[in-house]
Amino acid sequence: DAVMTQSPLSLSVTLGQPASISCRSSQSLVYSDGYTYLTWFHQRPGQSPRRLIYKVSSRDSGVPDRFSGSGSGTDFTLKISRVEAEDVGVYYCMQNTHWPRTFGQGTKVEIK
Amino acid sequence: QVKLVESGGGVVQPGGSLRLSCAASGFTFRSYAMNWVRQAPGKGLEWVAVTSEDGGWQNYAQSVRGRFTIYRDNSYSTLSLQMNRLRLDDTAVYYCVRDWSVELWGQGTLVTVSS
């Protein structure tokens, strides 16, 4: 299985400051079609996860442009350019290149 | 409005069975693969199973293979998960999730396995 490792596991950020979360895979996430299927989700307390980013860097409709995804192969990053209060919660990366699909452990973001 | 609504959760004893359902609306259900993903209380996310658009192909996490069965009824836009031989570590919120790209999540239904 592709093991997904996120860091840090928790992050305390001042409002308006940037934040960055790393996600590393134990296997390359490049699929045979040339695409890399690395996805980011955000889960607010008491809510279902919401997809933010797919195929490494494509933002979902309605996702603010302060969120960006980057990376290649096995190393990926989610960046929030200026953290807002609504960004609190847990962020998960997930690979949907290999079976079984696997998630990172999650990174809890709170406001300092 | 695009919607996924899970139901069927509850309390069940170890070794028991339960069937979850997911009612889809607001989109052409038969055009999308569908997944189940679960989250144990206070824990992270675990992918459970997927079925193809026509229901002809399925795949499962090793932890549920042979005990859980995912199936769908495209005539009624419904996804189901039959869970047999339930274990304590199957306790979780179970989410119905649309598409290979895992794009749209339902609100979840809680399954508690307890004696």
Side-chain angles (χ1 to χ4, degrees):
Chain A
D1 297 2
V3 177
M4 307 298 290
T5 303
Q6 288 182 229
S7 63
L9 297 184
S10 67
L11 203 48
S12 185
V13 187
T14 301
L15 286 173
Q17 293 301 301
S20 180
I21 300 169
S22 169
C23 176
R24 289 186 171 168
S25 172
S26 63
Q27 303 176 26
S28 172
L29 299 185
V30 181
Y31 190 55
S32 55
D33 62 4
Y35 288 103
T36 300
Y37 294 96
L38 186 283
T39 304
W40 290 97
F41 300 93
H42 176 215
Q43 186 176 33
R44 295 191 178 104
Q47 295 187 14
S48 305
R50 173 198 181 193
R51 196 178 73 174
L52 298 176
I53 303 279
Y54 60 97
K55 285 195 276 188
V56 180
S57 59
S58 296
R59 256 193 319 274
D60 269 281
S61 174
V63 174
D65 61 7
R66 64 178 181 275
F67 289 92
S68 63
S70 63
S72 62
T74 60
D75 286 355
F76 305 92
T77 302
L78 176 71
K79 290 183 179 175
I80 310 174
S81 59
R82 296 172 306 278
V83 170
E84 298 190 5
E86 65 181 18
D87 299 338
V88 299
V90 182
Y91 291 81
Y92 296 93
C93 62
M94 185 201 80
Q95 64 81 19
N96 41 338
T97 295
H98 304 289
W99 298 105
R101 306 316 197 201
T102 47
F103 291 87
Q105 317 98 300
T107 295
K108 186 174 183 179
V109 172
E110 62 176 21
I111 303 301
K112 196 179 292 183
Chain B
Q1 182 188 4
V2 176
K3 218 172 177 183
L4 298 169
V5 179
E6 300 92 337
S7 60
V11 180
V12 60
Q13 291 189 335
S17 298
L18 207 58
R19 187 181 72 186
L20 306 183
S21 294
C22 170
S25 59
F27 65 97
T28 305
F29 181 71
R30 64 179 178 272
S31 296
Y32 291 87
M34 295 295 297
N35 303 265
W36 288 99
V37 176
R38 67 184 181 183
Q39 185 171 36
K43 302 296 185 184
L45 301 167
E46 180 188 16
W47 174 81
V48 172
V50 66
T51 180
S52 61
E53 292 86 340
D54 65 357
W57 185 85
Q58 303 84 33
N59 201 359
Y60 298 90
Q62 190 60 42
S63 58
V64 306
R65 191 180 297 271
R67 299 187 299 122
F68 290 11
T69 302
I70 185 172
Y71 59 98
R72 64 191 296 162
D73 187 336
N74 285 345
S75 300
Y76 291 96
S77 298
T78 302
L79 176 73
S80 297
L81 185 69
Q82 177 65 43
M83 303 186 295
N84 297 330
R85 301 193 334 253
L86 282 160
R87 310 187 307 214
L88 294 175
D89 60 358
D90 292 319
T91 294
V93 173
Y94 285 74
Y95 295 101
C96 166
V97 189
R98 188 176 80 171
D99 199 45
W100 303 107
S101 64
V102 195
E103 56 165 342
L104 177 72
W105 298 59
Q107 88 289 346
T109 187
L110 176 62
V111 173
T112 303
V113 184
S114 173
S115 54

